[in-house]
Amino acid sequence: MQARERDELKTRLLRKPRRTLAVAESMTCGHLQARIGAISGASEFFLGGITAYTLDEKVRHLGVKRAAAKGVNSVSAEVAEQMARGACALFGSDFALATTGYAEPFDLAQGGPFDRPPAEGKITAPFAWWALAHAQGSRSGRGGKFIVRSGRIAGPGLARVAMQEFVAERALAELVEYLRAWRAE
């Protein structure tokens, strides 16, 4: 995230009425939080984040629906969207970003630390889903109303950490783009 974009994120969230942000990470494993925390004055808008790496933690802390998530190994637009809504509720934030995905290729024949094998059987290139939840009505969206956006990010040829960084950057860029449209000048 370039300095100009960091400043823009901060400015748009702090414009009256002030808005707050939280994150729920799986695949990016803290990279989103680190980028947001690097912004001077982040404590004025960033409430915090959670890295929920396993399905059990996604269910326990973010309200992800176990049956649907298990069927896709917790990697889908739907899971990312549930994570984002859950982060809004957990932290009481106006906005939340979430990420889930595969940071590197995976071959079913080699086994792996998954709740179940990927539906595809073989992941040949890293990919992720990001989601943005914007709570409507009550400040934390506890009434259940959200505007939600999500998208898929592919990273063929990227190594594990490079993919995590790439996804964090892209998710933050999507947030800035949403805020530009929402708080158009």
Side-chain angles (χ1 to χ4, degrees), residues 84-182:
R85 287 190 296 266
C88 276
L90 180 65
F91 289 94
S93 65
D94 299 296
F95 295 95
L97 275 177
T99 62
T100 188
Y102 297 103
E104 58 194 356
F106 169 73
D107 187 345
L108 176 60
Q110 297 174 356
F114 298 109
D115 296 312
R116 70 171 291 248
E120 298 88 349
K122 186 173 186 176
I123 304 301
T124 58
F127 72 91
W129 290 95
W130 62 269
L132 167 64
H134 178 184
Q136 304 294 294
S138 72
R139 217 174 132 77
S140 66
R142 293 192 178 149
K145 296 182 192 232
F146 296 91
I147 295 172
V148 180
R149 303 280 185 267
S150 61
R152 189 176 191 272
I153 301 169
L158 292 178
R160 182 179 184 82
V161 174
M163 181 62 179
Q164 291 170 324
E165 292 171 343
F166 181 61
V167 171
E169 290 290 330
R170 290 280 310 274
L172 285 167
E174 293 291 344
L175 171 60
V176 170
E177 190 62 35
Y178 179 84
L179 291 172
R180 284 178 185 147
W182 179 65

Side-chain angles (χ1 to χ4, degrees), residues 8-168:
E8 183 177 0
L9 176 62
K10 178 180 172 180
T11 299
R12 290 188 182 278
L13 286 171
L14 294 179
R15 186 177 298 157
K16 292 188 183 195
R18 292 178 138 191
R19 301 296 181 191
T20 56
L21 174 65
V23 300
E25 299 185 73
S26 181
M27 185 266 204
T28 48
C29 207
H31 287 273
L32 273 173
Q33 293 175 71
R35 281 164 172 70
I36 296 165
I39 299 170
S40 178
S43 62
E44 295 179 58
F45 63 87
F46 184 49
L47 300 181
I50 181 170
T51 300
Y53 218 61
T54 67
L55 175 57
D56 286 344
E57 300 314 310
K58 289 175 180 76
V59 170
R60 180 179 298 118
H61 299 292
L62 299 169
V64 169
K65 293 181 178 38
R66 181 178 297 279
K70 192 169 186 176
V72 294
N73 198 42
S74 297
V75 180
S76 70
E78 180 183 359
V79 171
E81 291 168 6
Q82 289 175 17
M83 290 172 64
R85 287 190 296 266
C88 276
L90 180 65
F91 289 94
S93 65
D94 299 296
F95 295 95
L97 275 177
T99 62
T100 188
Y102 297 103
E104 58 194 356
F106 169 73
D107 187 345
L108 176 60
Q110 297 174 356
F114 298 109
D115 296 312
R116 70 171 291 248
E120 298 88 349
K122 186 173 186 176
I123 304 301
T124 58
F127 72 91
W129 290 95
W130 62 269
L132 167 64
H134 178 184
Q136 304 294 294
S138 72
R139 217 174 132 77
S140 66
R142 293 192 178 149
K145 296 182 192 232
F146 296 91
I147 295 172
V148 180
R149 303 280 185 267
S150 61
R152 189 176 191 272
I153 301 169
L158 292 178
R160 182 179 184 82
V161 174
M163 181 62 179
Q164 291 170 324
E165 292 171 343
F166 181 61
V167 171

